[in-house]
Amino acid sequence: MAEPSAAEQRWLQAARDFARRALPAREGPGGPETPPLDAVLRCLRRAGGGDLPLSYSFISISDLQRQQCMPCCSHLTWSTNEFKEWSHQGQGVLPVQSALPRAYLILVGYLTDGRQEDKEKLVDGCLYVKDNTGIIPCELLHFELEWLESLFLFPNWSYIPQTDKSAAGYVEILMDPVPVNLPGEVPDSIPVTYPAPAEPLLTSRVPCKKRSKLTVAGELARLGPLLCVCQKTFFFLFLKCFTSAVWVPVLVQKPNQLAWHHILQLGHRYTVTGLSISSLKKSGQRTFVTGVSSCLLPYCAEQAREQPLSSAWQGEFTQSSSLETAEQLSNSLELGVEEERPGSTKESKIISYVGTVTKILNVQAGLFLLDNKVCLCLAYQQLLNSARGLRPGACVELIDVHLLQKPLVSFPYIVLGACLSSTVVLKSFSRLSTPYQPPASSGNLYLQLLFRYNLGMPLYLWLVSVLETFEERFSCFFGRRRLLLSSAHRNAGAAEKFLVPFLQAMVPDREKVRDIYKEILAKIHQCPLQKYLTLNPPCQAPSLSAVCCMAEQKSWEGFSPSQLLSPLEAQHMGTQELNRRLAWSYCTLSAGSFQPRLILLGVLRVSSRSSSLQLQDKSSALPCIISYKDGSPFACTALIGSLLQVENYQLVVERFLQTDFPSWKQLANLEHMREKKTSVYVQFYFEDVQVLHSTEGQIQKGLRSGNSSSLRKKDDDSLTSELKTPEAKKLKLEDPKPDTHRDDNCQKGQSSTRRTSCVSHLFLVTQKEGLMLRNYQLPKEEDGEGRDLQRSFQATVLWLGRPQLWIHPAETGNLPELEDTSCDGEGGMTRQEALLLFMGKSLRWFPFLHLDGLYRFIVPNCSDLEVFDKLCFPPVPAKFLGRSSCPLCLPVQDTWHLQHETWISCLSEHQLAARSVLRGMNQRISSIPEVLSNSFTGSLVSFSGEIVERTLCASLKNEMPSVTLSLQKQKGSLLASDHSVKLSVSVAPGSPVAVDIYIAATYLQHLWGLLPGAKIFFQNLERKISRFHNVYCTYIASSCLSVVSLPASHLPFPSSPAGEASSPSLVFLSNLQPHLQHLPQARILCHLSCVLTLSLQWVCSLCSSIFKEGRCTRHSPPCPSHTGVRQASARVLVEDGTGEAIVLCRNRHVAAMLGLSLLEWEALQNCVQSRGRVSIQHGEATGTGCAEEPEDFVACYLRSLCRSPLICRPILLDFSLDRKPSKILQPAPLQLRNFRCGEVEFVSQVGPRPNLLCLNMEEVEQGTLSYLNSERMRRTCSHCQVGTNA
């Protein structure tokens, strides 16, 4: 024999080292066995044709698990070409995937079922490869029972690590292993009983004193899956007679026999020894059961001899077995059958199918995609082998699976469902380098909800889609483990809290449990997959980015600019006014606006960039407005970072259009819509919120800080907002984009209990100003070159007490500052006013600060009680700090935490002394009638009211903000800076008193919720009086507003005019006093006396010049417009017996005043178009002429029409006071005037004629006139009687 080369010697030395470490010699029955290395080397030489594979190296199990991080394969006997061909065939299945890389490693080990390794570990029926260094799971396509505990050389295998690098993978044995030692011998002759004579034993009830064991031989007709319940693993097999369809069930439950499951193959013949009969409890069903000495042998006709049944077996009594495995399965899983609905349920088909796994849809839910078209669901079976081998590229054979077509409307695939009677066989392993992610062995929320609520396939698929969306959206905030936590272990996680109400509503009847015995043992098959009903999802919870897209899409569906304008008004608008009215509109959507119903889920955050509350997930953020139904402001800082579920909400889509419509006639032509943008936000009430997960402890629904004097109660059922460590608090309060790689860090940071001191200071908010660009400068560390205006806001507060030092932030107590005050009286309270400046990241506190709120600043990682004094800006000398009159300007730091404590009105009885001290410190709140009163003297006003109407108009020339140019540079302003919004605000719905508020468009980017029907609290508006003596308010730099209550969901269309829903009240002209100048709308029954002036004209839609004969008459410079707009106006004199008034009529009301039909009016307008303009003046005295030429027949016609007696008639007039008359009338005393009726002349005192604006005019029939006159007389008499009695 030739001397080995140096390379071979080195290789042999490495092999000996490997053998000493990984393959120790075992003791056999006749003494020590042959050294394993020698036998292994002989196997290697036989495989390599006498040569050792020097290019390969041995690897132990522990080294394989520790060193190999990527999938790989080893083919000891293959050439390079053979390996390339094998890889190429695998890539043909999924071309986008790469083939397994080749590793030159030799794997040697013992095949075992794991019973010897860990006595406490449950034997799950899986196979393992082990050596002296470790053990690893393995999967084989072919297995023989005599291979157990034998040493093998594995020439072809693949190692597949888990996607989780901290866990080990498994080995796929691609070809039969080579035994190192020779196998044992098989017995020569075995007496057997066949299924046909054995089957009657399962129904026999004749008692017998003696029991014996039975050996049954037959063809494997069906193989049940491995099941594990209550720490017991078992499976059923069914042996069929060779010559008939008779079969018998066999229950295999002994740990040393679970490996049979890997040996058994359908259609093969087997012999099972040592069987007894057991009766399952409750059901009484009987089955053959293996014993400890039972063996599984391949059936061989030459070795088998049929044994007739003894008299003992023919009359044997079968005792009730202590086996409770199947019964425990039924009690534990409680799987139920879906309720059948007559006429609509479908029956699934039972088929067999062979396909290739092309995608892992959801391994936790047991969903796999086959051939890119069929979904395989294994959830109704237990995957005790953790789905090893089911990787993309693997081929599987499905036997007796259920075919369900379209079980869920939104599910794109046909579904093959495997029940407990189905068989799943792995035909070939994947040749691709695809990852392996095992399903969770415990705490699998998918399967627990499936079994607990007896879900059928359609509802289970919907549950899976919801949980997948849940995990994708929020795992970066809370971590997957906490998000999908099951109540079986601890408190339910957020996903379970969300799903349980829906499952309870959709599965009301859970008493009918899944019968395990019928499903596995019955001759007529029954299972939950047998019948199904196509399910329409009950709801949807898409990502917030998808919600915004869906809302925007719905807001533009069927949208037409003509919807925003009344046709009777639009035809008289010029181009500028028309496009301005179209520039801003909105629509509101609710959960029912979407199909299926849309539920909002999001983590409540507050953005320092937009200074607004937001619902956030991984995809996007949605601004939100939260209110309370009782009108109190939302200030619950403890809710930040919590996962919220909202079902009742208003999703608002603000639409912004840039259009160039020449006139109303072109509104149907959408080519004039140059640009359209949207802004989406949501508003809801806190009472409609369900907190699914809170990062600061339990938050009860409906409970808020205003109901208690403190949020620091130690009771378990109280609302707590315990401040975590500064690191966790900073992570939660700031609003960076979600990081998908910070799950573990989130968990560790939020669960940390490291103690750290902090300083807190209590204060009362007495005034708050709006978010604005101001000239405050943030401190510059290096230089002070930045001179841009800083977005900021400020609040005037009153410090209460002195700063407090706490060992831990969670220990801040029950307002000790106020407790001291109640004991010592007013003199015991230290009060000092301060101006807090919020800039940078501290802008996140803007939505939480409200008047009359008690708050606390908490400075983490601090023990200096003078920290607030040291940071004041500008510095204040120490000797003045104790004086309440000394101003204190304090910039709020980014790391400070704001905590809302309570409201003044919610202080407890023992804190009433503190309330008396704080009396008078809050800002004065006025009412709208007080603001409109002539006796009101204030310039800055604060009041609340409901928005009646919202109109976009041109900015007032004297109301343009001084920082417009800087504001225009900011992103987020979707309206032109020369626009303003006018809000008509009333005290309550239907109230006759209203005030107009003007807000420049540049301020609107920070304001949300300005919708008709919303109740708003306005602060620090500037009260002004126009030259027409009208009171209005403007939004200025110090102004602020907050939404008190949301609009009702049944509001009319946004563009409908105010007051349209209710009829105006009937009044007398004599009752129209100057103090009623803000009356929005009223009605009078009057007599039209005469027409004072009348003007009909066509004007240019672009420049408002006279439009004549189809073109604009402006010449310098020439106007390019070819569109004209007709306009009409008239002033008429009316009286009702108590006084007179001048009424201004416009456009369509002029036709009604003249009594012209629609055709007559159109003909008259066409005649005016050729002239451009026609106007007449008709004086009250006799002989007053007109200004037109006598040959103008249109003017003559109008003049004669105005003088006609038909004009002078009774009318019912809806009007409002003309707040901008052409002539400003000064207050005048009553005057004597003569009235003549026939031959009788009367003298009466009359006041000045009020100017009215016509809103509607109706002809009065005789019956209506008589009724209204009688009502007027009755009211007049009642007023007179009241005056006499007085």
Side-chain angles (χ1 to χ4, degrees), residues 882-954:
R883 300 182 183 180
S884 59
S885 60
C886 180
L888 180 65
C889 183
L890 180 64
V892 178
Q893 304 301 301
D894 293 344
T895 57
W896 291 2
H897 176 64
L898 179 71
Q899 180 176 293
H900 178 243
E901 296 290 351
T902 185
W903 307 98
I904 293 182
S905 59
C906 297
L907 294 178
S908 57
E909 294 183 358
H910 64 280
Q911 295 170 332
L912 293 179
R915 187 190 301 180
S916 63
V917 172
L918 302 177
R919 184 180 303 164
M921 298 304 299
N922 57 333
Q923 185 180 9
R924 180 191 173 189
I925 310 300
S926 306
S927 64
I928 292 180
E930 289 176 346
V931 174
L932 296 177
S933 173
N934 293 330
S935 60
F936 193 88
T937 57
S939 59
L940 294 181
V941 294
S942 298
F943 58 87
S944 62
E946 182 175 313
I947 299 177
V948 178
E949 187 178 8
R950 184 181 83 170
T951 308
L952 196 64
C953 57

Side-chain angles (χ1 to χ4, degrees), residues 971-1027:
K971 296 182 179 179
S973 182
L974 299 177
L975 288 174
S977 59
D978 58 346
H979 287 170
S980 291
V981 61
K982 184 182 77 171
L983 302 177
S984 295
V985 180
S986 66
V987 180
S991 173
V993 181
V995 63
D996 290 339
I997 301 174
Y998 293 88
I999 305 177
T1002 48
Y1003 297 149
L1004 292 174
Q1005 58 180 312
H1006 306 303
L1007 306 179
W1008 307 90
L1010 299 180
L1011 305 179
K1015 188 175 182 180
I1016 310 294
F1017 176 51
F1018 298 93
Q1019 303 175 51
N1020 297 330
L1021 298 180
E1022 186 176 8
R1023 180 181 183 269
K1024 291 189 174 184
I1025 301 177
S1026 69
R1027 60 191 180 96

Side-chain angles (χ1 to χ4, degrees), residues 1210-1226:
I1211 58 173
L1212 192 61
L1213 179 69
D1214 293 348
F1215 70 93
S1216 65
L1217 293 174
D1218 191 0
R1219 300 172 63 179
K1220 295 182 180 180
S1222 58
K1223 181 179 180 181
I1224 302 177
L1225 300 178
Q1226 299 298 327

Side-chain angles (χ1 to χ4, degrees), residues 17-276:
D17 295 340
F18 164 78
R20 280 194 299 270
R21 185 168 64 93
L23 301 176
R26 289 189 172 187
E27 290 290 333
E33 293 182 350
T34 305
L37 180 60
D38 297 339
V40 170
L41 293 179
R42 284 196 297 271
C43 291
L44 289 174
R45 292 185 185 274
R46 287 198 303 267
D51 297 329
L52 293 174
L54 301 183
S55 59
Y56 285 76
S57 59
F58 289 93
I59 188 168
S60 64
I61 300 298
S62 60
D63 291 341
L64 180 65
Q65 294 173 323
R66 184 177 62 253
Q67 299 175 5
Q68 195 65 35
C69 300
M70 299 297 293
C72 66
C73 65
S74 177
H75 300 277
L76 184 64
T77 60
W78 284 11
S79 65
T80 302
N81 292 333
E82 289 175 324
F83 173 73
K84 288 182 178 180
E85 183 180 357
W86 178 82
S87 301
H88 181 71
Q89 292 175 355
Q91 284 184 298
V93 179
L94 293 173
V96 295
Q97 297 286 350
S98 59
L100 281 168
R102 188 174 186 178
Y104 296 89
L105 301 173
I106 301 175
L107 182 64
V108 180
Y110 293 88
L111 277 176
T112 178
D113 57 5
R115 284 178 291 140
Q116 309 288 337
E117 304 307 315
D118 189 350
K119 300 298 182 181
E120 298 180 358
K121 181 182 178 182
L122 174 68
V123 178
D124 54 7
C126 297
L127 296 177
Y128 301 86
V129 177
K130 71 173 182 179
D131 60 13
N132 201 38
T133 65
I135 185 170
I136 187 172
C138 70
E139 291 293 321
L140 299 92
L141 300 178
H142 172 242
F143 180 69
E144 300 292 342
L145 192 60
E146 59 268 18
W147 291 359
L148 278 179
E149 304 303 327
S150 298
L151 182 63
F152 284 92
L153 168 67
F154 300 96
N156 300 81
W157 54 274
S158 300
Y159 174 68
I160 311 298
Q162 290 191 25
T163 53
D164 182 6
K165 303 301 182 182
S166 61
Y170 72 99
V171 173
E172 296 176 349
I173 308 301
L174 304 179
M175 297 180 65
D176 286 352
V178 178
V180 174
N181 300 313
L182 296 179
E185 297 182 357
V186 180
D188 294 334
S189 178
I190 303 175
V192 299
T193 302
Y194 295 104
E199 193 266 344
L201 298 177
L202 298 178
T203 57
S204 174
R205 293 291 181 179
V206 181
C208 179
K209 298 181 180 179
K210 182 181 179 181
R211 300 189 61 176
S212 60
K213 300 295 182 180
L214 189 68
T215 298
V216 178
E219 179 183 331
L220 185 66
R222 181 155 55 93
L223 178 64
L226 280 166
L227 300 175
C228 179
V229 178
C230 297
Q231 302 298 312
K232 290 187 177 181
T233 307
F234 62 95
F235 69 92
F236 285 90
L237 62 91
F238 299 83
L239 295 178
K240 185 174 71 71
C241 188
F242 300 146
T243 59
S244 67
V246 178
W247 54 264
V248 292
V250 179
L251 174 62
V252 182
Q253 60 173 343
K254 300 303 179 182
N256 63 326
Q257 299 163 359
L258 296 179
W260 293 4
H261 200 269
H262 300 273
I263 303 171
L264 297 167
Q265 299 183 47
L266 295 179
H268 289 221
R269 298 181 176 186
Y270 298 96
T271 301
V272 184
T273 67
L275 296 179
S276 61

Side-chain angles (χ1 to χ4, degrees), residues 561 658-661 666-675:
Q658 289 187 10
T659 59
D660 56 1
F661 289 102
Q666 288 78 29
L667 288 179
N669 186 1
L670 300 183
E671 293 181 356
H672 295 281
M673 293 174 55
R674 300 304 180 191
E675 186 178 11

